[in-house]
Amino acid sequence: MAEGPKTSMPARRKARKRALDVLFEADLRDRPPTDVLTDYVARLDRPLPGHLDYAIGLVNGVAAHLDRIDELIASYAEGWTIDRMPVVDRNLARIAVYELLYVDEIDDAVAITEAVELARQMSTDDSPRFLNGLIGRIAEYASR
């Protein structure tokens, strides 16, 4: 069966994309993610999409654990500092690491695959391979 239009994207992928939008904006504007999230939700048309709760949970979770998440990313990003990473990659990694560490119902492989797929759609040609390796190393650490 052929893949449908982007609007048929699974709900959690849509939620991750929305969380990425918020975290990307917060990162670029150097604002707290929770403040950007409040503004973002206020701009959305009503009724709010069903997947928004998961997106809100991702943004709030990343914000609450940002220091630990960034510490892990910096430790496992071979040859990269967190500040040198493309903004999209840095925030996709943050979402995936949050899911690896704090969202029990998401399998590690799903967190990795989703970050890689969004990187394929939204970032550089090298980003999927980079994120796959980075998040894979963190998943190995987290499963010990």
Side-chain angles (χ1 to χ4, degrees):
M1 184 175 194
E3 190 174 317
K6 286 187 178 185
T7 55
S8 68
M9 187 186 305
R12 284 208 170 141
R13 184 168 296 164
K14 288 180 185 177
R16 288 180 187 95
K17 168 70 174 71
R18 285 188 187 269
L20 174 63
D21 291 346
V22 171
L23 293 170
F24 182 91
E25 181 180 338
D27 206 347
L28 282 182
R29 296 177 65 202
D30 197 26
R31 290 188 58 212
T34 52
D35 291 355
V36 174
L37 178 64
T38 299
D39 294 345
Y40 181 86
V41 171
R43 292 190 307 258
L44 292 176
D45 292 332
R46 302 304 191 257
L48 296 173
H51 62 268
L52 188 62
D53 286 345
Y54 192 70
I56 290 169
L58 290 174
V59 172
N60 287 331
V62 168
H65 300 282
L66 189 59
D67 290 342
R68 177 68 178 137
I69 290 168
D70 281 359
E71 176 186 311
L72 283 169
I73 293 169
S75 296
Y76 287 90
E78 298 170 352
W80 286 88
T81 63
I82 198 162
D83 294 332
R84 280 192 54 234
M85 285 177 201
V87 179
V88 169
D89 295 2
R90 178 172 52 236
N91 286 291
L92 284 172
R94 286 172 172 160
I95 292 167
V97 171
Y98 172 73
E99 286 184 316
L100 288 174
L101 298 179
Y102 303 104
V103 184
D104 292 337
E105 71 263 18
I106 300 294
D107 291 335
D108 291 0
V110 172
I112 296 167
T113 300
E114 288 294 317
V116 168
E117 185 55 37
L118 284 169
R120 189 171 283 119
Q121 295 171 15
M122 306 181 70
S123 197
T124 70
D125 289 343
D126 295 330
S127 296
R129 187 173 45 83
F130 169 73
L131 285 172
N132 189 52
L134 169 63
I135 300 164
R137 287 188 296 277
I138 294 170
E140 285 177 25
Y141 157 81
S143 67
R144 290 183 199 155

